Amino acid sequence: MKASVIQGAILGTAIGAALGVGAFTFIYAKGGSYLTDNPAACANCHVMREHYDAWHHGSHRAVASCNDCHTPHALIPKYYVKAENGFWHSFYFTTGTFDDPIRARDVSLRVTEDNCRRCHSEIVDQIDRHPGHGRELSCIRCHREVGHPNR
């Protein structure tokens, strides 16, 4: 078999796989919706439905969407985190290897903590001024259910 035939077969397979994954992502998995800030997009996956419903009944619904808390606010870091989270969500949900209840990765917890501190900077700055806490304060450690109450 000629090398050009083998290279053509490999290239054709790679293009077909890319088109298949792209079609799956943007047609079946509604991938385009993840480019928006619409919280309903997070509930495309049935595993996230409970989190969406809890947010819908929580106090943050009036002032924050999922992206306000779970992605950086600068454009490129925001879409980088969305892409990274989307990849891992797809991987874990497709393979069924996720924790139940779902657990945020350390990087996701840092993003959420940064967003808590950004939106609530006045009160957080006052709390951080008090010495003697002995450890770094964490909004999430004490207020874990603010965004998703009664999950």
Side-chain angles (χ1 to χ4, degrees):
M1 189 176 289
K2 289 185 174 183
S4 62
V5 172
I6 294 172
Q7 289 173 342
I10 291 172
L11 181 61
T13 301
I15 291 171
L19 289 173
V21 168
F24 175 83
T25 300
F26 283 93
I27 296 171
Y28 177 76
K30 303 174 187 172
S33 68
Y34 296 106
L35 301 175
T36 72
D37 286 326
N38 184 349
C42 295
N44 285 347
C45 178
H46 66 90
V47 175
M48 300 301 285
R49 186 73 201 180
E50 185 179 351
H51 297 269
Y52 174 77
D53 290 343
W55 166 82
H56 203 269
H57 293 94
S59 62
H60 276 75
R61 178 178 174 248
V63 294
S65 69
C66 306
N67 287 329
D68 290 322
C69 298
H70 297 287
T71 64
H73 289 228
L75 187 66
I76 293 174
K78 173 182 178 176
Y79 283 99
Y80 175 80
V81 166
K82 286 175 78 83
E84 184 181 35
N85 285 344
F87 171 79
W88 287 114
H89 287 185
S90 297
F91 176 81
Y92 290 125
F93 297 153
T94 301
T95 60
T97 56
F98 59 92
D99 294 326
D100 188 17
I102 298 170
R103 297 177 49 105
R105 297 177 305 135
D106 286 344
V107 66
S108 297
L109 292 174
R110 281 193 298 275
V111 167
T112 303
E113 178 75 21
D114 289 347
N115 287 330
C116 291
R117 290 178 168 271
R118 184 183 53 77
C119 288
H120 301 283
S121 62
E122 288 184 27
I123 193 165
V124 169
D125 289 345
Q126 291 175 9
I127 293 170
D128 282 345
R129 285 188 208 143
H130 291 279
H133 290 290
R135 62 182 181 174
E136 183 179 334
L137 293 176
S138 166
C139 304
I140 299 169
R141 185 173 38 238
C142 297
H143 304 282
R144 181 171 295 278
E145 295 195 7
V146 167
H148 306 278
N150 302 320
R151 283 185 293 158

